[in-house]
């Protein structure tokens, strides 16, 4: 059993992936980074790089459905980040806003079959917004920079759609009521998910971590697992991958790189993460960590060792919180289902 579990941790998957997704991800990232570079507005690079996560929801769909889906997701991402930034001016609202965004995202993304990456990026950009102190008059400007990234994502998704040789997936139209009947537990799952996020934001703020969103993002990442065993895998892989990633980050951030060279490295790391994320989660974390730290250093110029310390602490706490919450939820739902089945059988017998 232990050997089998270890093999599952180091297993290297061979997904039926298209290089269209990797090419598109690289084009999105390099476009938004160099838009910021050539306009001398690195805030475009920082916020726009969040908007391009819209592209990661790319699927081989008919063009009209693809553009509609990515547009709605892009708007959702932008609004989530905007609400997160607003919450920094009323600190007590941050846990509420992030939890609400998580609730809505989890509910609709699950109902409409957007399982991976699901609501993860929605929660991530909301938590990052809630951790970024932006003066109130500048929030609309930052949201516009974010929207630039969304536009790049939709543009490249539309362009690469014509080069994607995979057969488009035709989605059957179903009403919201039909989807709810097929998945009645979605509301309970979404409510629990939002409660965990509320506690994660509250905890990160209470601990006064340097970049508190790392704890929240790590927690949300663990909860993306399909089942409890998969979440345990993610928990171990994320902590181990972060340790290795911090070593790589320390090396890269101590190199005398120019801004231009840094942008190229960030793009390369982003594409590498997208290549490995479906193959082995731990290996992907080797490159996620230095990419995130380099983006933070690009705009904020924070002290390297402070970033490393707080990122590791946030990811460990968030991973443990996510897995603990998942165990409670799984156990609670199992108990609920057993009781529900017993009552249902009893009612049938007494009829």
């Amino acid at each position: 059993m232990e050997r089998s579990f270890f093999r599952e941790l180091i297993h290297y998957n061979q997904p039926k992936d298209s290089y269209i997704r990797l090419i598109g991800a690289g084009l999105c990232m390099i476009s938004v980074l160099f838009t910021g570079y050539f306009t001398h507005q690195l805030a475009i690079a920082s916020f726009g790089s969040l908007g391009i996560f819209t592209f990661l929801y790319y699927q081989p769909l008919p063009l009209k459905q693809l553009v509609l889906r990515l547009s709605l997701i892009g708007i959702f991402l932008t609004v989530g980040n905007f609400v997160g930034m607003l919450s920094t001016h009323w600190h007590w609202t941050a846990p509420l806003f992030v939890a609400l965004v998580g609730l809505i995202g989890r509910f609709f993304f699950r109902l409409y079959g957007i399982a991976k990456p699901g609501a993860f990026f929605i929660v991530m950009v909301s938590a990052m917004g809630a951790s970024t102190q932006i003066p109130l008059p500048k929030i609309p400007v930052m949201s516009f920079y974010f929207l630039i990234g969304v536009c790049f994502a939709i543009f490249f998704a539309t362009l690469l759609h014509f080069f994607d040789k995979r057969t488009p997936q035709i989605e059957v139209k179903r009403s919201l009521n039909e989807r709810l009947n097929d998945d009645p537990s979605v509301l309970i799952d979404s409510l629990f998910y939002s409660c965990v996020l509320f506690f994660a934001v509250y905890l990160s703020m209470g601990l006064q971590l340097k970049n508190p969103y790392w704890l929240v993002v790590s927690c949300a990442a663990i909860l993306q697992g399909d089942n409890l065993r998969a979440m345990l895998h993610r928990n171990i892989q994320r902590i181990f991958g972060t340790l290795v990633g911090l070593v790589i980050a320390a090396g890269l951030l101590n190199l005398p790189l120019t801004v231009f060279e840094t942008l190229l490295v960030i793009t390369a790391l982003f594409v590498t993460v997208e290549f490995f994320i479906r193959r082995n989660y731990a290996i992907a974390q080797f490159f996620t960590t230095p990419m995130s730290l380099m983006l933070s250093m690009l705009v904020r110029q924070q002290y390297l060792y402070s970033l490393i310390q707080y990122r590791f602490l946030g990811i460990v706490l968030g991973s443990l919180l996510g897995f603990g919450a998942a165990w409670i939820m799984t156990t609670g739902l199992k108990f609920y289902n057993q009781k529900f089945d017993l009552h249902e059988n009893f009612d049938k017998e007494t009829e």
Side-chain angles (χ1 to χ4, degrees), residues 237-247 285 289 311-312 315:
Q237 289 172 329
R238 191 168 180 83
I239 294 173
F240 172 71
T242 299
L243 276 171
V244 177
L246 290 173
V247 174
Q285 296 309 306
T289 298
R311 180 172 176 87
F312 180 69
I315 284 179

Side-chain angles (χ1 to χ4, degrees), residues 31-166:
S31 297
V32 77
L33 290 181
F34 281 98
T35 297
Y37 178 76
F38 288 118
T39 57
H40 305 289
Q41 287 287 346
L42 289 180
I44 294 177
S46 181
F47 282 83
S49 64
L50 301 178
I52 67 166
F53 286 122
T54 304
F55 182 84
L56 302 184
Y57 292 88
Y58 175 90
Q59 288 183 351
L61 296 168
L63 184 59
K64 184 178 178 181
Q65 288 186 20
L66 176 65
V67 173
L68 178 61
R69 170 179 284 204
L70 293 184
S71 298
L72 291 173
I73 290 172
I75 292 170
F76 199 172
L77 283 164
T78 306
V79 171
N81 185 252
F82 178 80
V83 168
M85 288 189 290
L86 277 181
S87 71
T88 60
H89 296 275
W90 301 278
H91 289 289
W92 63 271
T93 63
L96 290 173
F97 282 159
V98 174
L100 181 61
V101 168
L103 171 66
I104 298 171
R106 183 84 161 193
F107 182 80
F108 284 102
F109 278 56
R110 176 166 163 171
L111 275 186
Y112 286 87
I114 311 176
K116 297 289 178 65
F120 172 69
F121 288 121
I122 308 292
V123 172
M124 185 187 80
V125 299
S126 301
M128 291 180 77
S131 303
T132 308
Q133 295 289 337
I134 303 292
L136 202 57
K138 289 188 177 181
I139 289 179
V141 177
M142 297 304 143
S143 289
F144 174 71
Y145 293 163
F146 189 102
L147 201 57
I148 290 175
V150 173
C151 291
F152 272 123
I154 296 173
F155 171 75
F156 283 116
T158 303
L159 180 65
L160 293 172
H161 168 81
F162 296 104
F163 296 92
D164 196 341
K165 303 301 181 183
R166 291 176 293 177

